[in-house]
Amino acid sequence: MKRGRLRVLLGAAPGVGKTYTMLEEGRRLRDEGKDVVVAVVETHGRAATAVMLDGLEVVPRVSVEHRGVELTEMDLAGVLARHPHIALVDELAHTNAPGSLCEKRFQDVEALLDAGIDVISTVNIQHIESLNDVVQQITGVPQRETLPDSVLRKADQVEVVDLAPQALRDRLAEGHIYPSARIDAALSNYFRLGNLTALRELALLWLADEVDTALKTYRTEHGIDSKWAARERVVVALTGGPEGETLIRRGARIAARSAGGELIAAHVINQDGLSAPHPGALATQRALVEELGGSYHQVVGNDTSRALVDFARATNATQLVIGVSRRNRLTAALSGPGIGATIVRESGDIDVHIVTHSAAGGKFTLPPLGGALTARRRLVGLSLALIGGPILTWLLVSIRTPASITSDVLSYQLLVVVVALVGGLWPALFAALLSGLTLDFFFVDPTNTITIADPLHAIALALYLVNAVLVSYVVDQAARRTRTAQRSAAESELLATVAGSVVRGEDALQALVTRTQEAFGLTAVRLMAGQQLLAEAGETADEAPATTVPVGSRAVLELYGPDLEASERRLLTVIAIQIDAALEHTDLAQTASKIGPLAEADRMRSALLAAVGHDLRRPLAAATTAISGLRATDVDFSESDRIELLATAGESLDSLAALVTNLLDVSRLQAGALAVSLSSVDVPDVVLPALDELGLGPATVELDLPSELPPVLADSGLLQRAIVNLLANATRFSPPGTPTRIAGSEFAGAVQIRVADQGPGIPADRWDDVFIPFQRLGDTDNLTGLGLGLALSKGFVEGMGGTLEAEDTPGGGLTMVITLPAGPHPQIEEPV
């Protein structure tokens, strides 16, 4: 059976119109004669969305009971039995109620696709697993329902349903997204203009990257090596030399000339001597690249030119920026055309910009001796012997005199030494033999013959050969040591880059794995601890790893791609040791995080002892005095005095009981022994008992709890204690005749309970201080307890998985905001 196709409508935020667009597309396909059904859709009370359901066949939902609450979910079995051509499935990241056939809705969709049913679905950017933490940093709201990236990447089609941020806020303000009771909270929280702009950019960038990946995959599958200039990608080749900043800025200007241009800097680590002329040059240039919005990459390759061209093709680059060679003409003549000319020759349809700079055409140096004596160097040495020998002979013959034999011999000796320096042993031996025979033929009597009449001439020829061997041996040893030094420098540079990634604040394990994949040109790298994936870079395509490297005794580094050379494996061992150290550091950090609460508990116990000695003494002394007076036999108290003494004793004992209860609660919070029993709790069922406990009525408290406010997932007893403390604090500071306000609202799967007063308020820089135990912010009347109320409230709320934060009350005052996850509700779920 042919598998169905998945089409996903991606939105940056709730309310952009994903569900509306899905239903609109369903109506269009129905009008074209396609068999379309609505498997599940969430209108969230939006009238315009509900209207789009008219005329579409809707598969009835199935009821699932969970903790005494009846929930409705998509009837997977019913949709499969109906087997339409196209099914509309809203909220792809939704978590099904316990007892459903599948845990997540995307698993329901997989079953539909396997049955050959095409699916159109919706999802918001905040539900993508890899972006979940980024969205939380932007909005401050955690998303508990997430979708694996792989599900979205395997979709046949992903479209962004886009709406400008201000237009979305206007829709929200007009009541097209949420009920009126939730609009103010939404506008001031999740739907801030900056939040929406960042989320929109995130959605567009995600889709752009996905399109780019799809383009690369298509070109790879079809063997297309030529560039497809969908957008300008400018690769800047960096050697670490002084010209680097000039090249980077030139590349940035080229990339900026077209919309969406991308700047990519690449540095090749190889054996040809391309290393930074002074420490830190590459680090400075990398910082400049990142400042200009580009990305920096390191590539390992023996042939610098080929490595750069291959990297440019792999990134689908349209422009390649390189610098003019720093060698002068004489050096270039002796060592060949150089990297620039080779890149131009091999670049094909990639435009190459050769940029001049102040360091071009440097001072004379001998040809680079990096690496072993390659065939190219031996060929150059042989050519030098074949060309230089005749030229030198012609020159010496033209100026020959009977007394010039000594200078003739030394000239040929110099030629042999130069050939040995350039080409090594075999070209030097050839030059020595050729020079000896030429010297004998043209300059030693009898001339014009190769007859060695004098034994001293044979000794001279032998000395030529010995000198050639000795010089060649020195050159060979120097080349080997140079190769080792350059390899070590390249390895050190790579390790410094890896370490720098960690120091700059990147995730240590991810940075090490990513740099390993880039440095060795691997397809993918995965760090596994048993079956657990700790970090990965690249895509494995489910093939077996080419190499595995143990990382201590706790993990394995899996390498996908070409086999590595022995020297690269040695470097890989060093990286594995660093990864093992990073894992150990992670373990130590976790241990330290466990020790922190113990130290905090010790501090809390010390504070408790200090508080007991001070704050408990007053009610205890009052109660003791009152009871002692009543027990006295030498004093005759009147009935009113007795009643007053009993009232004093009762109030003191009640105060003492409340203080002890708070102290015990704080102790349990600090010890982590607070018993929390979470269930679905209606907010009014907690607020009203709290008002009764404090004896507060409509004159002192104003309620704004919408009827459609969903329940919260909380412990009703702890939530009531938290609200009591917040109300007591708010009413104490509210001006006479000004009621305290309690309001409820919901957005993004969370419910907020606001307790607002219009008192003097607290400076923003002191908001965190009010939650510190034994902190009264300057209250010294000793009549307001231990200063534990807000600390306890925060501990209770956080123990239930929520947050308690302070913010300004519009018009003056302080608002305490309790945020808790929305509990199960038969009709209202997290908006998407």
Side-chain angles (χ1 to χ4, degrees), residues 388-398 412 438 442-443:
I391 294 175
L392 179 63
T393 301
W394 172 80
L395 180 63
L396 294 177
V397 168
S398 63
Y412 281 107
T438 303
F442 286 101
F443 300 99

Side-chain angles (χ1 to χ4, degrees), residues 189-345:
N189 289 277
Y190 197 93
F191 286 81
R192 290 196 296 265
L193 186 62
N195 288 0
L196 297 178
T197 302
L199 292 175
R200 185 190 190 198
E201 181 183 20
L202 203 59
L204 295 175
L205 287 175
W206 190 94
L207 184 62
D209 290 340
E210 185 63 19
V211 171
D212 192 45
T213 301
L215 179 60
K216 291 180 180 178
T217 301
Y218 179 85
R219 296 175 72 243
T220 302
E221 291 175 349
H222 291 77
I224 300 174
D225 294 330
S226 59
K227 70 177 182 181
W228 282 14
R231 58 174 171 171
E232 291 289 351
R233 283 190 177 86
V234 182
V235 173
V236 178
L238 299 179
T239 66
E243 74 281 1
E245 295 188 5
T246 301
L247 302 184
I248 292 169
R249 290 190 171 91
R250 179 61 61 85
R253 289 197 295 271
I254 295 174
R257 291 172 186 168
S258 63
E262 185 177 352
L263 175 65
I264 304 171
H267 171 63
V268 178
I269 302 175
N270 62 4
Q271 300 172 4
D272 291 332
L274 283 181
S275 58
H278 56 82
L282 275 177
T284 302
Q285 293 170 14
R286 173 173 185 162
L288 178 60
V289 171
E290 295 174 349
E291 180 183 345
L292 294 174
S295 60
Y296 175 86
H297 303 266
Q298 282 192 315
V299 183
V300 173
N302 292 327
D303 186 335
T304 302
S305 305
R306 171 57 58 186
L308 281 173
V309 173
D310 289 345
F311 176 79
R313 293 190 185 282
T315 56
N316 197 25
T318 59
Q319 315 270 353
L320 184 56
V321 178
I322 62 176
V324 172
S325 175
R326 295 196 299 270
R327 305 173 304 160
N328 61 10
R329 294 182 179 179
L330 178 58
T331 305
L334 293 174
S335 59
I339 294 175
T342 306
I343 289 176
V344 171
R345 185 175 63 251

